[in-house]
């Protein structure tokens, strides 16, 4: 396998619902990536596209739509969906194509437009689509799943409502310094603790909404392109994991879970991160900056444990001691996280990778971590999907 | 148990009251002993032969493993004639079957919820359909 580098990245800033078509956002992100990489469209030899699941024909074949905007060149275009880890899947395919020598330069992108209302079932078949049961009979919007796990955590460890609120305080401080984030208002602990419960113990400011956004990453093994790129970022590993039998997590869309654990919680993310550590020879102790999926404040805490940055039940202490702040031992989510962005399904994993790359390239202005050498982006994903990317300068 | 004659589950094959008790319709794998709910959502142990999957009913009673109170109405296609928000959601553990199942909490003071308390499976009337039947879902309530 060849070494693969990120040479160009682009983002369409995150925002709320928009009437514009998703391909317009995608084009902004891809234009940005091409300019950053200083390469012409014709040098792109494969497109790995995260699909936009609410976009019908156009969304499901998002790669073809994108290609036609920039000009069709006959290259392989593959469209992929892995829920919140869709961007991880597209990047992994681009990486594998280049690393294996199938292509020299490939593009991974994802673009998503927030639905006007809530995300609900996409079919009416209760036998094959358990989303139908959870929406029609279960009364189970996504945050309830997180609240059920958060309550278990609070019963088991000493996680407090102040800990959950403190996550938002930190994320809002960083989001305010990120021009690409959607939410830029800062909050005090008191303000977060005064916000209404959505599903207790989780409050309105402690869960993330759905957003619109797009992200694109160009990877290459072409020595000429690497040499002329501004601080190329090496991908040490980019992996995906699925769930492991006996994982006790109540997964979004499920109506049941095992009561006797035989695998770690969030086993798909445990699996993705361990694969990445093994493939790269880099461990959690080596990571200088981490982007994790803080879909809720519970996620922020549990992911530090799932990915091995501390032992189970110790994440609250890391947070309280300031270890996860910019300037701390392990700066977490200097981007402001999902809390400041919201979910744009097929784009968000790439946005996390781009924040890591920008941190390594020293492009993060007021939220810049001091001289990071190794960064890690970790996704969450419904139904047992997760991706981990470890990068270095 | 109350009169169940004019009640129909919104989606079939999930909840049963034919035995005189309200019970969830599960399936058990005869080879890896895993219980599934809903029964079609198989999650076999890797390497299982998948032989001998049979339909079983979960016990009526279990223990509260976790809970939350939802303060915003659940969006469509969820539908109830009466306002139920805020409503509780329970994760109830059936110990012998090694499975936890989610369900709406009904007929229970939400302030009294405590992990470990005994819960029983019941039904919640959601709305009346065109045939004048009461359309129901499964639910849990504190054992009195
Ligand atoms: Zn089995």
């Amino acid at each position: 396998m060849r070494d693969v580098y990120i040479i160009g990245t682009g983002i369409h800033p995150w925002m709320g619902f928009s009437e514009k078509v998703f391909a317009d956002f995608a084009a902004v992100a891809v234009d940005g990536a091409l300019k950053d990489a200083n390469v012409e469209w014709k040098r792109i030899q494969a497109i790995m596209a995260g699909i936009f699941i609410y976009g019908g024909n156009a969304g499901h074949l998002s790669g073809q739509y994108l290609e036609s905007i920039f000009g069709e060149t006959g290259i392989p275009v593959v469209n992929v969906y892995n829920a919140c880890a869709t961007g991880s899947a597209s990047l992994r395919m681009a990486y594998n194509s280049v690393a294996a020598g199938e292509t020299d330069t490939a593009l991974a992108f994802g673009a998503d437009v927030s639905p006007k209302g809530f995300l609900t079932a996409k079919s009416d078949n209760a036998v094959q689509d358990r989303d139908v049961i959870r929406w029609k009979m279960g009364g189970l919007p996504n945050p309830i799943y997180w609240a059920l796990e958060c309550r278990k955590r609070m019963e088991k460890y000493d996680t407090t409502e102040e800990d959950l609120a403190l996550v938002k305080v930190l994320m809002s401080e960083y989001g305010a310094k990120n021009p690409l984030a959607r939410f830029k208002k800062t909050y005090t602990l008191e303000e977060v603790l005064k916000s209404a419960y959505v599903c207790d113990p989780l409050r309105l400011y402690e869960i993330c909404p759905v957003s619109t956004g797009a992200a694109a990453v160009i990877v290459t093994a072409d020595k000429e392109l690497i040499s002329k790129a501004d601080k190329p970022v090496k991908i040490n590993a980019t992996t995906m994991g699925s769930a492991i039998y006996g994982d006790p997590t109540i997964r979004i869309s499920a109506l049941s879970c095992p009561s006797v654990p035989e695998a770690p919680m969030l086993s798909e993310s445990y699996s993705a991160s361990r694969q990445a550590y093994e493939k790269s020879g880099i461990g959690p102790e080596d990571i200088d900056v981490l982007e994790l999926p803080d879909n809720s404040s519970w996620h922020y805490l549990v992911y530090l444990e799932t990915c091995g940055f501390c032992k189970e039940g110790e994440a609250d202490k890391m947070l309280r001691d300031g270890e996860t702040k910019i300037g701390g031992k392990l700066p977490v989510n200097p981007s402001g996280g999902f809390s400041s962005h919201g979910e744009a399904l097929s784009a968000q994993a790439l946005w996390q990778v781009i924040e890591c790359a920008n941190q390594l390239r020293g492009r993060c202005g007021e939220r810049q971590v001091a001289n990071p050498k190794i960064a890690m982006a970790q996704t969450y994903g419904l139904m047992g999907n997760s991706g981990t990317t470890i990068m270095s300068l | 148990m109350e009169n169940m004659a004019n009640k129909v589950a919104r989606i079939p094959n999930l909840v049963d009251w034919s035995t005189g008790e309200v019970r969830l319709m599960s399936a058990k794998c005869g080879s890896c002993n895993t219980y599934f709910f809903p029964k079609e959502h198989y999650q076999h142990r890797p390497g299982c032969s998948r032989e001998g999957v049979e339909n079983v009913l979960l016990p009526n009673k279990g223990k509260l493993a976790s809970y939350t109170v939802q303060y915003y109405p659940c969006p469509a296609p969820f539908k109830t004639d009466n306002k139920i928000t805020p409503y509780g959601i329970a994760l109830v553990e059936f110990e012998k079957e090694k499975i936890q199942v989610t369900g709406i909490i009904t007929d229970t003071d939400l302030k009294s919820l405590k992990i470990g308390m005994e819960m029983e499976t019941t039904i919640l009337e959601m709305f009346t359909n065109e045939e004048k039947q009461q359309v129901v879902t499964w639910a849990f309530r504190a054992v009195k």
Side-chain angles (χ1 to χ4, degrees):
Chain A
M1 299 284 264
R2 304 189 287 175
D3 283 348
V4 178
Y5 290 82
I6 294 172
I7 54 166
T9 67
I11 283 183
H12 184 291
W14 259 231
M15 57 191 196
F17 174 76
S18 169
E19 297 285 352
K20 280 203 214 163
V21 300
F22 82 98
D24 288 341
F25 305 118
V28 169
V30 171
D31 256 332
L34 290 167
K35 281 199 188 78
D36 181 24
N38 193 20
V39 299
E40 287 173 23
W41 173 249
K42 287 180 185 166
R43 300 291 289 266
I44 302 295
Q45 294 167 4
I47 299 172
M48 305 304 183
I51 76 162
F52 165 40
I53 197 146
Y54 289 96
N57 172 282
H60 299 168
L61 296 169
S62 63
Q64 273 73 12
Y65 269 69
L66 188 276
E67 188 195 22
S68 68
I69 290 172
F70 285 85
E72 293 169 330
T73 53
I75 57 175
V77 175
V78 182
N79 302 287
V80 65
Y81 180 68
N82 282 80
C84 317
T86 296
S88 310
S90 62
L91 181 65
R92 181 177 169 278
M93 291 193 300
Y95 170 90
N96 282 341
S97 171
V98 172
E102 182 204 31
T103 59
D104 290 327
T105 304
L107 167 71
F109 88 94
D112 230 285
V113 181
S114 150
K116 248 179 182 164
F118 288 86
L119 302 163
T120 62
K122 296 166 199 73
S123 85
D124 200 25
N125 184 328
V127 176
Q128 70 185 27
D129 182 356
R130 62 188 171 194
D131 251 356
V132 176
I133 302 171
R134 71 128 158 167
W135 286 112
K136 282 193 170 175
M137 287 177 81
L140 291 166
N142 291 4
I144 284 183
Y145 289 89
W146 310 336
L148 290 170
E149 289 296 349
C150 192
R151 170 96 54 204
K152 278 188 178 176
R153 178 183 179 88
M154 292 170 89
E155 185 83 359
K156 197 169 171 191
Y157 306 120
D158 63 347
T159 304
T160 63
E161 296 212 24
E162 284 73 21
D163 294 331
L164 302 176
L166 183 54
V167 172
K168 176 63 182 181
V169 173
L170 264 188
M171 293 299 90
S172 72
E173 184 189 328
Y174 300 161
K177 295 173 181 168
N178 185 350
L180 300 169
R182 174 178 170 193
F183 303 106
K184 299 190 179 87
K185 182 174 164 2
T186 57
Y187 292 91
T188 64
L189 199 68
E190 292 67 37
E191 285 170 328
V192 180
L193 286 170
K194 269 191 205 146
S195 73
Y197 283 124
V198 171
C199 37
D200 69 344
L202 295 175
R203 297 174 186 276
L204 186 59
Y205 295 147
E206 296 166 355
I207 58 174
C208 80
V210 288
S211 285
T212 297
V217 173
I218 295 171
V219 295
T220 191
D222 183 320
K223 292 208 163 58
E224 179 216 331
L225 295 185
I226 294 167
S227 69
K228 69 175 190 183
D230 172 34
K231 293 188 188 128
V233 171
K234 185 181 172 184
I235 297 179
N236 298 84
T238 186
T239 60
M240 289 201 74
S242 60
I244 302 171
Y245 176 88
D247 177 345
T249 319
I250 180 80
R251 287 180 216 157
I252 290 180
S253 88
L255 297 154
S256 68
C257 59
S259 64
V260 179
E262 292 189 40
M265 281 194 71
L266 297 166
S267 56
E268 60 280 346
S269 298
Y270 176 89
S271 171
S273 60
R274 295 318 182 277
Q275 290 178 57
Y277 298 150
E278 197 184 322
K279 284 204 165 92
S280 64
I282 290 169
E285 65 284 355
D286 304 316
I287 305 295
D288 299 322
V289 55
L290 171 68
E291 282 288 327
L292 57 70
D294 59 317
N295 295 53
S296 74
S297 291
W298 167 72
H299 291 75
Y300 183 102
L301 295 170
V302 72
Y303 264 91
L304 290 169
E305 299 164 8
T306 298
C307 297
F309 291 97
C310 62
K311 293 204 187 78
E312 264 187 51
E314 291 181 353
D316 315 85
K317 188 169 185 312
M318 277 184 81
L319 172 72
R320 288 174 209 154
D321 290 351
E323 285 185 31
T324 59
K325 282 185 175 175
I326 295 174
K329 196 175 131 208
L330 174 72
V332 173
N333 294 4
S335 64
F338 285 37
S339 173
S340 305
H341 286 76
E343 290 201 86
L345 270 188
S346 74
Q348 64 204 34
L350 291 171
W351 150 67
Q352 291 179 292
V353 165
I354 293 172
E355 173 72 12
C356 287
N358 283 338
Q359 287 286 345
L360 294 172
R361 297 165 108 182
R363 296 176 173 185
C364 290
E366 281 187 275
R367 66 181 198 285
Q368 179 65 47
V369 171
N371 297 315
K373 298 284 180 285
I374 303 176
M376 171 165 150
Q378 174 67 47
T379 73
Y380 173 58
L382 160 149
M383 287 280 289
N385 280 288
S386 183
T388 305
T389 302
I390 296 178
M391 294 146 271
S392 61
L393 258 193
Chain B
M1 199 166 71
E2 59 187 303
N3 177 21
M4 302 297 282
N6 195 34
K7 293 186 176 29
V8 58
R10 188 164 182 200
I11 297 171
N13 297 317
L14 293 162
V15 56
D16 177 274
W17 48 79
S18 65
T19 64
E21 281 183 319
V22 181
R23 293 166 72 176
L24 294 168
M25 299 169 76
S26 172
K28 182 198 179 189
C29 174
S31 300
C32 71
N33 290 320
T34 312
Y35 283 74
F36 315 121
F37 182 78
K39 57 191 171 67
E40 295 86 0
H41 290 283
Y42 310 118
Q43 285 196 299
H44 292 281
R45 183 181 289 279
C48 175
S49 67
R50 308 195 307 280
E51 282 162 16
V53 175
E54 57 178 45
N55 292 338
V56 290
L57 298 176
L58 292 177
N60 168 260
K61 290 184 180 60
K63 284 202 162 60
L64 189 63
S66 190
Y67 62 92
T68 180
V69 178
Q70 166 77 13
Y71 287 87
Y72 291 81
C74 186
F78 190 78
K79 177 177 155 188
T80 54
D81 281 342
N82 301 319
K83 177 180 171 289
I84 64 160
T85 311
Y87 61 94
I89 288 281
L91 193 55
V92 169
E93 175 162 339
F94 298 94
E95 195 180 354
K96 188 172 116 334
E97 293 75 16
K98 299 182 184 172
I99 191 171
Q100 297 178 352
V101 180
T102 65
I104 294 171
I105 300 172
T106 185
D107 197 17
T108 301
D109 174 9
L110 296 178
K111 290 197 174 66
S112 73
L113 296 172
K114 220 173 155 42
I115 287 177
M117 71 193 279
E118 201 178 13
M119 304 290 284
E120 64 185 330
T121 315
T122 180
I123 52 116
L124 171 72
E125 292 179 359
M126 303 180 87
F127 56 89
T128 306
N129 67 12
E130 282 170 8
E131 290 83 45
K132 301 272 182 272
Q133 292 169 303
Q134 279 295 323
V135 178
V136 305
T137 184
W138 79 90
F140 296 114
R141 69 179 170 209
V143 173
K144 283 177 184 129

